[in-house]
Amino acid sequence: MSLILAIESSCDEMSAAILRDKRNLLANVVASQIDIHKQYGGVVPEIASRKHVESVAAVLREAFRTAGVKPEELDAVAVTKGPGLVGSLHVGMQAAKTLALALNVPFIGVHHIAGHIYANELVEDIRYPALALVVSGGHTELVYMKHEFSFEIIGETFDDAIGEAYDKVGRVLGLPYPGGPVLDKMAHEGEPTYDLPRPLDDGSFNFSFSGLKSAVINLKHNADQRGETINAENLAASFQEVAMDTIAKKALHAAREMGVRDIIVAGGVSANKGLREKMSGQSDVRVMFPPMKYCTDNAAMIAAAAKVMYDHKQFTTLDLAVRPHFDLEAESIGEEV
Ligand code: KG4
Ligand code: ZN
């Protein structure tokens, strides 16, 4: 039995969740700042952290109110310790430390990507060995998980993360931030008529999206210079087709090479309809996608990862520092990594 409060504030969302045991999610409050950052075309870190300071108390109060629990009932407090924006991380970290200290309960520092992966366990147990396909604004990785909470990165992007490539292409096409969801929608309204380069089309598990992104951007600029119009829906469909086909093929290839039982798709881009279509219908491996509401950043996913850490007694001291960059592999529990 456990009652865990988790706080996530690594980027532009301030979120607090309360999770009883493994999947009884009592609250998951998310205060998004997208409308503020939209006008700048991307997240402004200084504004993000200032807004977090303004919203953290209200978000926590709302989480306790929705869950109908009192702070004294908590068994542990968890927080995203990184990676992310340093100022944003600090706000969640200070709030979590204060609560853990005042309540005298165990304190758990969670890797943001472990959170994205374990969001899937809010619905169903992961079967090991598993392969996590992490696709977000900051990461594109294939992570082999031999057992629970063990992480081995077997492939990653050499340049842009896939969400970053979506957002940059979206910006050049004049779409609002973040470009990912809008491009995904447009892709479904168009046809893949444009011929774009297929990135790192080899047998490796690594990715590269800067060439593909630049090809789309150049195509748009050249058309603008010649006074030609492009069909934005078709360009979105062409970009999505190449990007998601590459990701899906590599993930499925890796899953078969590694002999895993489950593929877990994780991170904001796991909301992508094109990716969901490409990955579905496999007969030899189960592909798990988190429910849409747990795809982009939220504290429920941090609570889900914290629950695993709680069961393994992976507690930390209150001098924990935020880590803007750090390695997921170092978070593994157990020796068999
Ligand atoms: O995981 P997340 O919320 O934040 C990070 O940890 O990075 O992911 C945000 C990213 C953004 O780049 C956003 O454009 C992208 O996920 N994204 C999508 C979709 N929904 C969100 N990209 C493609 N298709 C989508 N449907
Ligand atoms: Zn994220």
Side-chain angles (χ1 to χ4, degrees):
M1 295 288 279
S2 59
L3 187 67
I4 299 174
L5 167 81
I7 302 177
E8 150 67 37
S9 69
S10 64
C11 192
D12 58 340
E13 264 100 26
M14 168 57 74
S15 180
I18 298 177
L19 179 66
R20 191 183 292 286
D21 304 330
K22 197 166 186 176
R23 14 199 96 104
N24 188 2
L25 186 62
L26 304 179
N28 183 34
V29 180
V30 184
S32 170
Q33 302 175 4
I34 281 189
D35 287 342
I36 297 163
H37 298 285
K38 232 176 204 167
Q39 51 190 305
Y40 304 100
V43 176
V44 184
E46 183 63 25
I47 297 178
S49 52
R50 281 167 188 251
K51 290 286 162 197
H52 282 342
V53 172
E54 288 171 18
S55 67
V56 61
V59 167
L60 282 167
R61 256 199 308 274
E62 181 62 12
F64 282 114
R65 197 191 61 78
T66 318
V69 301
K70 295 192 184 69
E72 306 77 59
E73 294 174 55
L74 294 176
D75 294 312
V77 174
V79 68
T80 305
K81 59 182 170 181
L85 301 172
V86 64
S88 290
L89 287 165
H90 263 300
V91 182
M93 179 62 82
Q94 296 315 323
K97 281 181 180 174
T98 308
L99 275 164
L101 180 69
L103 300 169
N104 194 23
V105 292
F107 182 49
I108 303 170
V110 180
H111 192 290
H112 182 78
I113 298 300
H116 275 301
I117 292 173
Y118 279 93
N120 285 278
E121 285 223 317
L122 288 168
V123 181
E124 218 166 335
D125 281 350
I126 297 169
R127 301 174 309 178
Y128 302 94
L131 179 77
L133 167 61
V134 180
V135 279
S136 74
H139 292 79
T140 308
E141 288 167 358
L142 285 168
V143 184
Y144 177 65
M145 299 173 69
K146 189 170 181 186
H147 56 84
E148 186 170 70
F149 231 84
S150 84
F151 309 103
E152 184 193 343
I153 296 172
I154 59 167
E156 61 194 330
T157 181
F158 290 143
D159 39 60
D160 288 9
I162 182 64
E164 190 182 353
Y166 263 86
D167 294 342
K168 286 181 182 165
V169 166
R171 191 184 310 180
V172 170
L173 294 182
L175 307 178
Y177 175 83
V182 192
L183 266 178
D184 184 17
K185 195 162 169 286
M186 284 169 64
H188 278 77
E189 290 156 8
E191 292 297 324
T193 53
Y194 291 94
D195 193 21
L196 296 171
R198 193 163 271 276
L200 222 61
D201 193 13
D202 57 13
S204 81
F205 301 148
N206 294 316
F207 304 95
S208 166
F209 296 107
S210 74
L212 173 62
K213 172 198 70 184
S214 302
V216 177
I217 294 173
N218 290 342
L219 205 145
K220 164 80 172 119
H221 283 162
N222 290 341
D224 286 352
Q225 269 168 6
R226 289 197 220 102
E228 295 165 8
T229 50
I230 52 141
N231 182 318
E233 282 77 18
N234 286 356
L235 188 54
S238 310
F239 170 69
Q240 177 136 310
E241 168 59 28
V242 173
M244 291 314 178
D245 196 58
T246 308
I247 292 179
K249 277 202 180 118
K250 291 210 172 198
L252 291 167
H253 175 206
R256 284 170 188 137
E257 287 270 291
M258 306 302 287
V260 302
R261 300 175 73 193
D262 284 350
I263 299 180
I264 311 144
V265 189
V269 185
S270 63
N272 187 274
K273 283 203 234 55
L275 183 61
R276 285 175 181 244
E277 283 160 16
K278 297 240 177 241
M279 300 284 294
S280 68
Q282 308 304 322
S283 54
D284 54 341
V285 61
R286 181 175 71 165
V287 183
M288 296 168 82
F289 276 91
M292 284 299 206
K293 59 184 175 208
Y294 306 137
C295 286
T296 44
D297 294 347
N298 65 87
M301 68 185 203
I302 301 302
K307 166 65 179 157
V308 181
M309 296 175 77
Y310 181 87
D311 289 344
H312 288 270
K313 297 202 168 24
Q314 297 291 302
F315 306 136
T316 180
T317 49
L318 289 172
D319 57 358
L320 179 70
V322 298
R323 309 269 295 272
H325 304 279
F326 83 107
D327 190 5
L328 178 63
E329 293 186 347
E331 294 302 289
S332 299
I333 301 175
E335 293 146 45
E336 290 181 81
V337 180

